[in-house]
Amino acid sequence: EADLMGVAEDLKRLRYQGEGGDSKANVNRLERLIGVPLPRDYRDFLLTHGGGYLDAVSPCKAPNPFDDAITVTRIHSATEVIDLLDSEVAPRNMICISMGHDSMTGCLSIAGLDHGRVFALDVRMRYYWDEETLKNLPHLAPSIREFFRLRDADKLPERPWGYDNCYPMAGSFVEFLSRLRPTGS
């Protein structure tokens, strides 16, 4: 089992309003539907704490079109993750585990070389915004403008195929929780 002592401290610091642990039946159903075991730390989190609300931000580990702060307002329960399995935006090796403002979605890789890592998924697909769209948004933060400059110069860090709208946040679910900061702090 993953060490959830640090997780409990993180959740307290974040004023997490959990709804109680998910049932083992729901977590097992999720694993059956995705066809692989969940990363241990995330599985243990679901069983112990389940879904809930918070008001937090997470830094990204790469240039992104979010002004470097990914909002997180809800961590999904196993049932909510199941309801989101038919996402046409998330890469096939990821499940949607959280949501935030402005179409920000947290995803957890469940297979492949990045198994267990957490990504910000931009469901608005800002990566594909063209010059005309950017001209109509004159008040974008400098870091967002820099992201598009790097994109246009083909100087963004290399990412796997299909990850155009995914931005790394953490190497594990536990690290993701530890990197979250209450909004306004």
Side-chain angles (χ1 to χ4, degrees), residues 1 21 34 37 39-40 45 57 63 82 86 93-94 100-101 106-107 110-111 121 126 136 140 150-151 174 185:
E1 279 190 21
I34 62 176
R40 174 58 69 192
F45 175 85
V57 294
I82 290 168
D86 63 354
N93 65 316
M94 292 193 195
H101 302 296
C107 287
I110 55 169
L121 172 65
R126 292 170 182 91
N136 291 323
L140 288 178
L150 292 170
R151 179 203 65 186
V174 168
S185 66

Side-chain angles (χ1 to χ4, degrees), residues 54-58 70-75 98-101 169 176 180 183:
L54 66 163
D55 190 8
V57 294
S58 176
I70 310 305
T71 62
V72 180
T73 57
R74 176 149 182 92
I75 296 177
S98 70
M99 68 179 202
H101 302 296
M169 288 197 294
F176 165 67
L180 287 172
T183 301

Side-chain angles (χ1 to χ4, degrees), residues 54-87:
L54 66 163
D55 190 8
V57 294
S58 176
C60 257
K61 292 183 168 190
N64 63 76
F66 305 124
D67 196 19
D68 297 326
I70 310 305
T71 62
V72 180
T73 57
R74 176 149 182 92
I75 296 177
H76 297 309
S77 68
T79 301
E80 291 167 320
V81 172
I82 290 168
D83 291 343
L84 294 168
L85 287 178
D86 63 354
S87 169

Side-chain angles (χ1 to χ4, degrees), residues 2 12-13 15 24 31 38 44 62 67 95 113-114 119 121 127 131 140 149 160 168 171 178-180:
K12 185 176 180 181
R13 173 180 53 79
R15 290 180 232 105
K24 198 168 197 170
E31 288 180 321
L38 292 167
D44 290 349
D67 196 19
I95 57 173
L113 294 175
D114 55 12
F119 294 83
L121 172 65
Y127 178 85
E131 191 174 316
L140 288 178
R149 187 194 69 74
S178 72
R179 290 174 53 87
L180 287 172

